[in-house]
Amino acid sequence: MSLKGKKIVCFLALPHHTRFFIPLRDEIKRQGGEILFFVTLSEYPYELDLTKRKLPFRYFTDYMTPELRRKINDSTAKLLDRWAKDCFKWDGFSRWPVFKQSWFFEAIVEEYFCVERFMEIEKPDLIMAHHECNRWGQAIGHLAYKKSIPFVTFQEGDYHGDYIGHTIHTQYSITDMLWGERTRDVLKSYKCSMDKIVVIGNTHIESAVKTYSTPQTIRDVKKELGIPRGKKVILFLIDIKYAGVAKKEKWEQFLNGLDKLDKEAVLIFKWHPSILRNAYEDIKAIFKELYPFAVLLDNYESYKLLAISDYCVTLGKTTLAIEALAFGKPLFAFPSPDTFEDYYVNIGVAQSLFPYGNWANLFNTMKHGVPSDIRQNVEKYLEHYFYKLDGKSVERAISVMNYVLECRQYKAKGKGQKAKGKEKEYVTGRVSFVMPSGSDSEALLATLTSISQNVKYPDWEVVLVINDENIKETLSGISGDVRVVEAEGNNLSILYNKGAEASTGEYLIFIKPGIVYFKDEGLIDAVKDGIAGTPLRNPDMTPYCLGIGYDFNFAPYKIKDKNIEPEAVGGGFIAMMQDVFESTGGFDEEIANHLIDTDMCLRANELDIPIKYVSQCLMVNYKETFYGEDISDENWENRVKFFAKWCGKLPKDDDFVRFAGDLLKV
């Protein structure tokens, strides 16, 4: 499937982030898709880069109507009335100026209803943004969910620091596409859904290195900036915390000793763009007095500067520091001014220049080259940080977007699950235990033994789907009514479907090897009404799975708390009648193993088939098989399909305090 005829909407915030979406825009248009940029008209000229590139865009407020204005005014008044009653209960109220509160609420209500109107008029097939961690991303994400529009997000920059906002990177997103494993590890530590994350690489850095590093481009940029031939270029990258420092004595301390480089190098300071113009002008005046030969730039193209630089010095943490490494530039670092954490030095990819005025490492490298241990660390770090610098990150991003839309199309047409054949004949009253063999003979024998000892039904059978040749020896010593079917692979849906096809019972119990069948009181009665599941405990009787719930990210999880009501059942054991299995189309064979039970329950909900959690039963997860969650970079489709398929339909736990837990502790 291509993007031909599809309308993709892209929300843009900071102008210097536009570069990540331009390669995607070009490929979308090449495939015949339509892309529409839209921005907020608030606080900052977010459309600045789009205007420079002469790209069309829409403002949120372009969709304002008199009727919508009345709705916004009424809603704002109601919200402020409610806030006036609740705000004094919050300790933070005294730290938030009243005029800021009023302005914020008025702005977000206006933006919310304008975005809703935008979606109703433009009817996008898919929405993309850098992330959902600001108020606009939250409004877009919520409305996309409300209207069942797939919402895909991308990594904005370098995610570092202890920031509670990291927890909402995967809340409304169908999928969040990241530069590399390093960022995935960060977001995992903040409880983001690993099922939604796809590692693709950086959509711009590869083309930027290729585009800006040509000899002709370097000559043109140096000529434009008036850099004399033969002089080295030392590029200083100013992060947002250093950017606002406008004290003469601080910069005097910092610049001390750099006069030694006047004859052999030009110093360029690339300022962080998110700084007020008057503050930047004050700093330029300080530099003109202290170091008049320095070149200060704020909105100049960063990659042109990286291309012409010979050495890069980062002041604090900035994405450009990592991109400098991708450009092959030696990196030097100063710690963050608030914590004095020397992040890039600590991970071994930069040499320290701290304390201020200590330029020894820079001077030594200019004479003798980069130390070998730094070079090796940089190579490893780039692989961990950028996944693959192979020129195919845009291709990977587009393939994810294509796949999401394909899943939506299949869902609309009722495809994507096991095709139903003619109505199957079965033996009334018979119970069929459908179990894949797996590769662990101990786990398999534990389950088979428990079934033979604890099942009390008058008529039952075991349908064993062997998916490992080596397991056949284990079966030689097994007696009893075991129907054997052979299949390949570890796709649990395929194995379950294969076993169900060979079964003869009216009732189907799907069970993973390693689950010990212990107590089934009331199970068959529950199955008569719909799909049934039971409590699963660990061998020490602690909860393993007390039903399935949905967390803050709309992601299914195994419930451990008996006080939480399950919304689905499974976890390795799920039962239903043969008629129910046929009516649902069987288990979806393109869904990850750990999501198939939940997927089955969602399909049942669509058909008004009840889901029963039989609390008086008991099964024990003796040993884990078909091992848990697969978050490998190669198998993203069977995770993403679940969220694309059920876009706008999944339940959600909005209790953020319960979700974030210890992350909220100071």
Side-chain angles (χ1 to χ4, degrees):
M1 180 179 179
S2 73
L3 296 176
K4 185 176 182 180
K6 300 297 182 182
K7 179 182 281 189
I8 312 297
V9 162
C10 179
F11 170 69
L12 281 175
L14 294 173
H16 60 287
H17 292 154
T18 310
R19 64 187 188 269
F20 297 111
F21 287 120
I22 294 303
L24 295 174
R25 168 194 177 269
D26 294 343
E27 181 60 23
I28 289 168
K29 289 181 71 67
R30 191 192 70 78
Q31 291 192 15
E34 177 187 353
I35 184 164
L36 175 61
F37 293 109
F38 75 129
V39 298
T40 178
L41 185 63
S42 177
E43 303 140 60
Y44 188 90
Y46 294 109
E47 72 280 12
L48 191 62
D49 197 50
L50 291 170
T51 302
K52 286 181 178 179
R53 296 175 187 264
K54 298 181 179 179
L55 295 173
F57 61 89
R58 299 277 191 277
Y59 291 111
F60 289 4
T61 47
D62 286 347
Y63 297 82
M64 182 69 72
T65 64
E67 182 183 354
L68 190 60
R69 171 53 66 192
R70 287 191 291 272
K71 184 177 182 180
I72 290 168
N73 291 339
D74 290 345
S75 299
T76 302
K78 291 177 182 177
L79 177 60
L80 290 175
D81 284 345
R82 179 172 177 177
W83 175 244
K85 296 175 183 177
D86 294 341
C87 62
F88 294 104
K89 302 174 185 177
W90 177 46
D91 292 340
F93 173 72
S94 61
R95 300 173 179 84
W96 195 11
V98 173
F99 80 91
K100 276 281 192 181
Q101 298 174 39
S102 176
W103 167 84
F104 177 80
F105 287 134
E106 289 173 5
I108 198 169
V109 173
E110 178 181 271
E111 290 160 355
Y112 182 88
F113 285 114
C114 284
V115 172
E116 183 173 43
R117 180 70 175 157
F118 168 86
M119 292 182 184
E120 290 168 354
I121 292 174
E122 297 296 344
K123 294 180 172 54
D125 295 293
L126 181 142
I127 301 173
M128 63 182 186
H130 257 132
H131 59 74
E132 51 179 291
C133 299
N134 51 41
R135 73 173 193 259
W136 307 293
Q138 285 287 285
I140 293 166
H142 179 266
L143 286 165
Y145 166 72
K146 184 178 176 181
K147 298 182 181 301
S148 298
I149 302 170
F151 181 44
V152 301
T153 52
F154 294 81
Q155 181 171 340
E156 175 190 27
D158 187 16
Y159 298 158
H160 46 62
D162 188 11
Y163 175 53
I164 192 64
H166 290 326
T167 53
I168 56 176
H169 266 89
T170 59
Q171 182 184 182
Y172 290 106
S173 306
I174 292 293
T175 180
D176 184 25
M177 288 180 256
L178 305 181
W179 295 353
E181 295 175 3
R182 185 261 176 192
T183 309
R184 180 169 62 191
D185 292 344
V186 170
L187 296 189
K188 183 177 182 179
S189 70
Y190 281 89
K191 300 188 176 182
C192 293
S193 171
M194 294 297 100
D195 281 328
K196 293 185 175 185
I197 285 175
V198 180
V199 176
I200 62 164
N202 184 304
T203 57
H204 184 60
I205 191 65
E206 297 155 322
S207 61
V209 173
K210 184 178 179 180
T211 300
Y212 294 104
S213 296
T214 64
Q216 184 61 50
T217 301
I218 292 173
R219 283 194 296 269
D220 291 344
V221 175
K222 286 187 174 182
K223 182 179 179 180
E224 182 182 347
L225 295 176
I227 297 173
R229 182 176 297 178
K231 276 202 171 186
K232 299 287 187 182
V233 175
I234 302 176
L235 177 61
F236 291 80
L237 311 171
I238 316 298
D239 86 340
I240 196 167
K241 293 179 180 178
Y242 275 99
V245 177
K247 295 181 179 179
K248 179 181 176 181
E249 61 272 18
K250 291 291 185 182
W251 290 113
E252 188 173 25
Q253 182 185 22
F254 176 82
L255 295 168
N256 182 39
L258 280 178
D259 55 329
K260 296 178 182 178
L261 296 174
D262 286 350
K263 293 182 180 180
E264 58 181 308
V266 173
L267 275 57
I268 299 177
F269 289 78
K270 174 62 177 73
W271 232 255
H272 196 285
S274 296
I275 180 175
L276 296 175
R277 171 56 54 177
N278 59 347
Y280 177 67
E281 294 299 332
D282 290 343
I283 293 168
K284 283 183 71 175
I286 293 172
F287 268 73
K288 189 172 182 179
E289 179 183 347
L290 295 177
Y291 203 98
F293 303 107
V295 179
L296 266 69
L297 301 168
D298 56 349
N299 288 319
Y300 196 85
E301 174 57 67
S302 301
Y303 293 133
K304 288 183 178 180
L305 299 177
L306 289 178
I308 67 169
S309 66
D310 296 284
Y311 308 95
C312 290
V313 179
T314 180
L315 280 72
K317 296 175 182 177
T318 170
T319 302
L320 278 175
I322 302 301
E323 292 174 323
L325 295 175
F327 269 80
K329 309 300 178 179
L331 186 64
F332 302 85
F334 286 94
S336 297
D338 51 351
T339 63
F340 285 95
E341 179 195 6
D342 221 333
Y343 175 72
Y344 301 110
V345 173
N346 292 341
I347 62 177
V349 298
Q351 298 178 71
S352 176
L353 297 178
F354 195 73
Y356 303 118
N358 173 30
W359 304 102
N361 283 331
L362 175 62
F363 296 158
N364 287 337
T365 299
M366 292 175 73
K367 287 182 179 180
H368 306 294
V370 180
S372 60
D373 60 328
I374 296 290
R375 289 199 305 270
Q376 292 171 6
N377 289 340
V378 167
E379 186 177 335
K380 292 177 183 177
Y381 186 74
L382 286 176
E383 183 179 346
H384 185 58
Y385 193 91
F386 284 125
Y387 180 50
K388 293 178 182 178
L389 291 172
D390 59 0
K392 296 183 179 180
S393 56
V394 170
E395 180 183 321
R396 284 189 284 270
I398 294 295
S399 70
V400 173
M401 294 163 65
N402 270 322
Y403 185 72
V404 167
L405 290 173
E406 183 181 318
C407 292
R408 297 296 297 151
Q409 182 175 321
Y410 276 12
K411 173 67 176 168
K413 293 182 179 180
K415 296 181 180 179
Q417 286 189 229
K418 176 179 176 289
K420 290 191 292 183
K422 62 181 181 180
E423 191 169 323
K424 183 181 175 182
E425 295 182 1
Y426 52 78
V427 177
T428 302
R430 177 174 293 172
V431 177
S432 295
F433 290 86
V434 177
M435 179 172 54
S437 70
S439 302
D440 189 325
S441 57
E442 180 185 354
L444 174 61
L445 288 173
T447 302
L448 288 173
T449 301
S450 68
I451 290 173
S452 66
Q453 291 177 344
N454 297 319
V455 169
K456 302 296 189 290
Y457 305 126
D459 186 7
W460 59 275
E461 67 176 356
V462 172
V463 180
L464 185 61
V465 185
I466 298 179
N467 63 308
D468 185 342
E469 285 289 325
N470 297 323
I471 213 74
K472 289 183 177 179
E473 293 183 13
T474 305
L475 297 178
S476 60
I478 294 177
S479 59
D481 189 6
V482 177
R483 186 185 300 269
V484 175
V485 181
E486 294 192 32
E488 295 181 353
N490 287 309
N491 183 312
L492 200 53
S493 289
I494 292 176
L495 301 178
Y496 277 168
N497 289 339
K498 192 87 171 176
E501 186 180 339
S503 67
T504 61
E506 180 182 14
Y507 304 99
L508 298 174
I509 295 177
F510 298 93
I511 183 170
K512 289 198 307 183
I515 301 292
V516 172
Y517 194 89
F518 188 71
K519 181 183 177 186
D520 59 10
E521 182 181 341
L523 177 63
I524 293 301
D525 288 337
V527 170
K528 290 176 182 178
D529 293 330
I531 291 179
T534 71
L536 278 80
R537 294 187 174 273
N538 295 308
D540 62 358
M541 289 297 107
T542 57
Y544 171 74
C545 178
L546 306 181
I548 305 293
Y550 297 88
D551 67 15
F552 187 75
N553 293 309
F554 297 90
Y557 73 97
K558 296 183 181 73
I559 295 172
K560 311 286 185 183
D561 184 347
K562 65 180 181 180
N563 296 313
I564 298 176
E565 193 73 22
E567 297 185 75
V569 294
F573 183 98
I574 189 169
M576 66 198 74
M577 295 187 72
Q578 189 82 242
D579 290 345
V580 168
F581 178 81
E582 291 295 324
S583 65
T584 60
F587 290 96
D588 191 328
E589 296 176 358
E590 296 175 352
I591 297 284
N593 287 350
H594 63 286
L595 297 171
I596 63 170
D597 292 341
T598 314
D599 180 76
M600 172 64 78
C601 291
L602 287 165
R603 177 65 177 141
N605 287 334
E606 278 191 325
L607 300 172
D608 294 324
I609 297 172
I611 308 297
K612 300 283 186 177
Y613 174 70
V614 193
S615 58
Q616 62 268 33
C617 294
L618 177 62
M619 309 296 155
V620 176
N621 185 54
Y622 166 71
K623 200 169 187 181
E624 189 71 63
T625 56
F626 291 89
Y627 297 100
E629 301 176 9
D630 181 2
I631 60 168
S632 65
D633 299 322
E634 292 75 22
N635 293 328
W636 57 266
E637 291 101 332
N638 58 14
R639 294 179 282 111
V640 169
K641 183 181 179 182
F642 175 82
F643 296 97
K645 178 179 177 180
W646 299 107
C647 174
K649 304 295 183 184
L650 294 173
K652 180 181 190 299
D653 183 355
D654 274 319
D655 190 337
F656 178 73
V657 174
R658 178 165 62 190
F659 170 70
D662 290 345
L663 293 174
L664 293 173
K665 292 182 179 178
V666 178

